[in-house]
Amino acid sequence: MTILFADVCRSTTIFEEYGDRKAREIISHTLSAMTQVANKHGGQLIKTIGDEIMCTLPSGTAGVLAACDMQRRVTSDLQLVRYNVSVRIGLHFGDVLQENDDVFGDAVNVAARMAGIAKAQQVVTTTSTAQDLSEDHNLEIRSLGKTRVKGKLMPIEIVDVLWQDDTSNVTTVSQALNIEEIQDRASLTIHYGDKTIEIRDVSPPFMMGRDPANDLVVDDEWVSRVHASLEYRKGYFVLVDRSTNGTYLTTDNDQEFRVHQDEVHLRRQGVISLGQTAANRTPDGLVRFECHNS
């Protein structure tokens, strides 16, 4: 099936400009409008993640058409135009695993990567997904070159779907992205004891835990066998906790807080403590990190 991610752009600015209550109304209205469009194309809302929705659709064609109609809906809604709301959408048709009203697998990873590449008012998908479209739908696509996706040995071809009725003002490019640009965009450096490890945006999830199979092994009774991971998603690194005791995170000069069976964005630099608070660990038992964006 097709996995589609639709994300409200500049949501932080919307909160700053209009305050929490109004900003929540604006974003909720945007997500609701896009969900309605997905439903009309036979789609289903899987979950809402902050200012983003994740949907499934039955085919590549349904996914692309839904994405284009979402963009048209947002840019024609007077309430959203008034607040200068825009969205970015990424999607991919492929194999998925359905479990407990959620979906996992290759197509989800690829779709998330597409959404991370997309900019405001843009629909990005893989060439293989776009090839399912017939000329009857009167949509144009332009190549964005190739990019790497975790779990894929080779780079994949991606395209920008031109959903606008009038594309005369859309800049035509033969290749807007290349592998080098994607690879150099972001990285995360972690320090643990005498180890220094760099994780790139094209790296697979970096696993941490007590099991020797992890990328970073922390042999401690408070640490779960597979405790947490560091992953790059849609333009930022996230810490994902999978543990029994939780993971403690401190960023910059903020107070330490506990992440348990949840995930959180990593910003700038900070300290990660697996299983117990940093105060109960020696400096060598802490994972220090630094985010780098080019």
Side-chain angles (χ1 to χ4, degrees):
M1 61 177 58
T2 293
I3 305 298
L4 181 150
F5 287 95
D7 184 21
V8 178
C9 301
R10 54 183 292 276
S11 59
T12 301
T13 303
I14 293 174
F15 274 92
E16 291 174 351
E17 290 183 359
Y18 302 108
D20 290 351
R21 179 175 296 180
K22 188 61 180 180
R24 287 182 182 277
E25 291 179 4
I26 295 169
I27 292 174
S28 177
H29 179 72
T30 306
L31 300 183
S32 176
M34 293 192 294
T35 300
Q36 292 173 15
V37 172
N39 292 340
K40 289 181 179 179
H41 287 272
Q44 178 183 355
L45 175 68
I46 298 299
K47 55 187 171 183
T48 300
I49 312 165
D51 55 5
E52 169 190 75
I53 58 172
M54 175 185 176
C55 302
T56 59
L57 293 110
S59 66
T61 296
V64 173
L65 294 178
C68 293
D69 283 348
M70 286 179 185
Q71 291 288 12
R72 295 188 184 105
R73 173 71 178 272
V74 171
T75 56
S76 63
D77 187 311
L78 293 180
Q79 180 177 340
L80 299 181
V81 171
R82 182 180 298 115
Y83 296 112
N84 196 28
V85 175
S86 59
V87 298
R88 60 179 185 173
I89 301 174
L91 64 147
H92 176 66
F93 178 78
D95 296 329
V96 299
L97 174 65
Q98 292 182 287
E99 184 177 304
N100 297 328
D101 298 323
D102 205 347
V103 290
F104 309 90
D106 181 69
V108 178
N109 295 334
V110 177
R113 184 65 168 149
M114 299 303 100
I117 292 169
K119 297 179 175 60
Q121 296 191 358
Q122 193 173 32
V123 174
V124 173
T125 187
T126 55
T127 300
S128 60
T129 302
Q131 284 175 342
D132 191 37
L133 283 169
S134 69
E135 295 181 359
D136 297 339
H137 298 298
N138 197 31
L139 291 174
E140 297 181 38
I141 62 173
R142 61 179 178 179
S143 172
L144 294 179
K146 297 181 179 181
T147 188
R148 292 190 183 276
V149 177
K150 65 179 180 180
K152 295 285 190 181
L153 182 61
M154 301 299 294
I156 59 175
E157 296 271 358
I158 62 175
V159 297
D160 176 13
V161 182
L162 305 182
W163 54 269
Q164 298 88 341
D165 294 327
D166 180 8
T167 60
S168 59
N169 293 322
V170 178
T171 303
T172 301
V173 294
S174 59
Q175 183 168 319
L177 297 173
N178 58 48
I179 296 172
E180 288 72 23
E181 289 173 337
I182 297 298
Q183 287 178 325
D184 294 338
R185 191 170 58 181
S187 64
L188 179 74
T189 302
I190 65 170
H191 308 277
Y192 179 75
D194 59 356
K195 298 178 181 178
T196 298
I197 303 168
E198 184 178 41
I199 306 168
R200 305 198 65 82
D201 55 357
V202 293
S203 301
F206 183 85
M207 308 304 297
M208 302 181 290
R210 199 173 72 248
D211 194 290
N214 286 283
D215 299 298
L216 180 66
V217 179
V218 181
D219 189 9
D220 185 282
E221 63 180 352
W222 292 88
V223 177
S224 298
R225 294 181 65 83
V226 179
H227 194 100
S229 65
L230 300 170
E231 306 177 18
Y232 186 79
R233 296 186 191 164
K234 300 168 55 184
Y236 46 76
F237 286 94
V238 296
L239 167 68
V240 183
D241 178 81
R242 299 178 167 87
S243 70
T244 301
N245 295 320
T247 302
Y248 293 82
L249 176 66
T250 308
T251 57
D252 289 334
N253 296 319
D254 294 337
Q255 289 187 339
E256 183 181 66
F257 64 95
R258 181 172 179 252
V259 184
H260 186 229
Q261 299 293 321
D262 203 355
E263 59 187 53
V264 63
H265 298 189
L266 296 181
R267 304 180 188 278
R268 295 184 287 277
Q269 59 188 7
V271 176
I272 297 169
S273 180
L274 304 182
Q276 54 183 332
T277 66
N280 292 332
R281 288 196 174 279
T282 64
D284 285 347
L286 301 174
V287 179
R288 303 182 185 277
F289 70 86
E290 302 159 3
C291 297
H292 310 285
N293 293 299
S294 60

